[in-house]
Amino acid sequence: MEPIRPILDPRAGDLEDDASSTKRRSMLSLAGSLLAEISPLKLLAAWLLLIGLPGLLLGAAPLIVTLWLAMVSRHAASLLDGVGPALVMVPLAALAWFGWRPLLLLAENSFWSLNALAVQPFYIVSREGLRHLTEGLLMGRLDETRRAGLRAGTAAAAGLGIAAAGSFVLALTWPATRWIGTLDALAAPRLLVMVLLANGLAIIVGYFAVAGLIWGIADATMPQPRDVTAFAPAPAGAQHWRIAHLSDLHTVGERYGFRVESGRSGPRGNDRLRATLARLDAIHAAEPLDMVLITGDLTDAGRSAEWAEFFAILADHPALAAIVVALPGNHDVNV
């Protein structure tokens, strides 16, 4: 007599486990879910605060600086020679001395944010698109040396393409820009806002073009990745290491847990990790390892229960635990 099976096996997971699963849902479906959850009002507010307002401030910077310098020079010239300019410059120098650090920190954060949000993604998409297209068309007709040269060429082409696109937008925007501030400009607020937007866009796309070109040249001139077809033989008597390399363990915090990206199609619990460590323990006992290197994403979401489960599993293999070197990944810092 066959055993009675439950209609729903709770060990198989819930439908909600598939919410972010790339194995159960297509990327288009995931993108649609994200767009459906976006609030238009919140999106508009975020755009104004994170993009619109900084763009206006960036565009206003040259106008404010030039207007301020003009006013300071006029006041300094109207004062007596010697004592007057000194009285003006001393407080200005003190203000610059105490205020440059926060200003520098703000500029540095904005600089790296611009690189991370604009320059790097566009450059990577352009480079990888060209690389996949050209290597796909020349599949099987390139050795490693020619493939490395092709990759360098696509990197340079991506940088040149970004520089050309940025320069084109800059040329279209430039007639609407204005770089010297005057008090008369305050009399037309609507025109002033358009000038500020044009200035901010010109500064951003100008930097975008220059950074993309520099990035492409640097990428093209550095050694390109190559496939290793064979390892060089070790010299006689040379020191060597036996290293077991594990990566992306994604330990979950419960017995029947599932990985974030996999849903119900992903590894169930941590049985695979237990089996892997048991096998490594046997290998280590037969022929000792020098290191067990674990690179990235030891846990699935950086939660305390997941870390506790990982250390509990590792504690069952003290010989391996003594030689583990672990490098945390983005999931380990609690996504």
Side-chain angles (χ1 to χ4, degrees):
M1 181 177 179
E2 293 186 2
I4 299 177
R5 297 182 178 180
I7 297 176
L8 294 175
D9 189 345
R11 294 170 297 182
D14 300 318
L15 290 175
E16 288 82 0
D17 293 330
D18 300 334
S20 58
S21 172
T22 56
K23 296 178 174 61
R24 290 278 181 142
R25 303 177 60 189
S26 66
M27 297 302 293
L28 184 61
S29 173
L30 293 173
S33 298
L34 291 175
L35 290 175
E37 295 175 0
I38 292 176
S39 169
L41 293 178
K42 291 182 179 179
L43 182 62
L44 178 61
W47 191 93
L48 291 175
L49 291 175
L50 300 178
I51 300 178
L53 183 59
L56 288 175
L57 294 177
L58 186 63
L63 300 182
I64 294 174
V65 171
T66 54
L67 179 60
W68 179 77
L69 289 176
M71 295 178 64
V72 169
S73 62
R74 284 199 300 268
H75 286 293
S78 64
L79 297 175
L80 297 176
D81 293 338
V83 179
L87 293 176
V88 175
M89 297 307 296
V90 167
L92 293 179
L95 181 63
W97 175 260
F98 290 104
W100 72 272
R101 292 181 184 275
L103 184 61
L104 180 62
L105 180 60
L106 178 62
E108 183 182 8
N109 290 336
S110 301
F111 170 80
W112 290 116
S113 297
L114 179 60
N115 278 280
L117 294 176
V119 180
Q120 184 179 9
F122 277 99
Y123 171 74
I124 294 299
V125 169
S126 302
R127 187 194 68 184
E128 293 302 309
L130 290 172
R131 185 165 294 178
H132 283 284
L133 178 62
T134 54
E135 291 188 15
L137 293 175
L138 300 174
M139 181 65 69
R141 288 180 284 177
L142 295 174
D143 55 21
E144 284 302 313
T145 301
R146 292 181 178 178
R147 183 177 287 111
L150 179 63
R151 290 175 175 174
T154 54
L160 289 172
I162 290 177
S167 300
F168 177 73
V169 176
L170 179 61
L172 294 178
T173 309
W174 190 262
T177 60
R178 184 174 178 180
W179 304 103
I180 299 177
T182 60
L183 293 176
D184 298 338
L186 300 177
R190 182 178 300 179
L191 180 61
L192 180 61
V193 170
M194 297 303 297
V195 170
L196 298 184
L197 289 175
N199 286 359
L201 182 60
I203 294 173
I204 291 174
V205 297
Y207 173 76
F208 186 78
V210 174
L213 182 61
I214 294 175
W215 207 315
I217 294 175
D219 198 356
T221 53
M222 70 174 58
Q224 299 299 312
R226 302 190 183 196
D227 294 334
V228 178
T229 56
F231 292 100
Q239 187 178 9
H240 67 280
W241 293 267
R242 283 171 50 80
I243 300 175
H245 181 198
L246 308 179
S247 187
D248 292 84
L249 305 181
H250 284 268
T251 307
V252 293
E254 58 277 344
R255 182 178 179 186
Y256 296 103
F258 299 87
R259 287 180 54 171
V260 170
E261 300 95 335
S262 302
R264 292 176 295 168
S265 298
R268 184 168 302 168
N270 303 309
D271 293 339
R272 187 171 299 178
L273 174 59
R274 292 188 180 91
T276 300
L277 293 182
R279 177 62 178 151
L280 282 179
D281 213 353
I283 293 174
H284 183 55
E287 188 175 356
L289 297 168
D290 295 292
M291 181 189 300
V292 176
L293 176 63
I294 307 177
T295 51
D297 295 349
L298 286 74
T299 64
D300 198 39
R303 300 183 63 84
S304 59
E306 295 170 349
W307 281 110
E309 187 71 11
F310 168 75
F311 287 121
I313 295 173
L314 188 61
D316 293 334
H317 307 279
L320 294 180
I323 58 173
V324 164
V325 175
L327 305 176
N330 64 308
H331 281 246
D332 297 321
V333 295
N334 200 345
V335 296

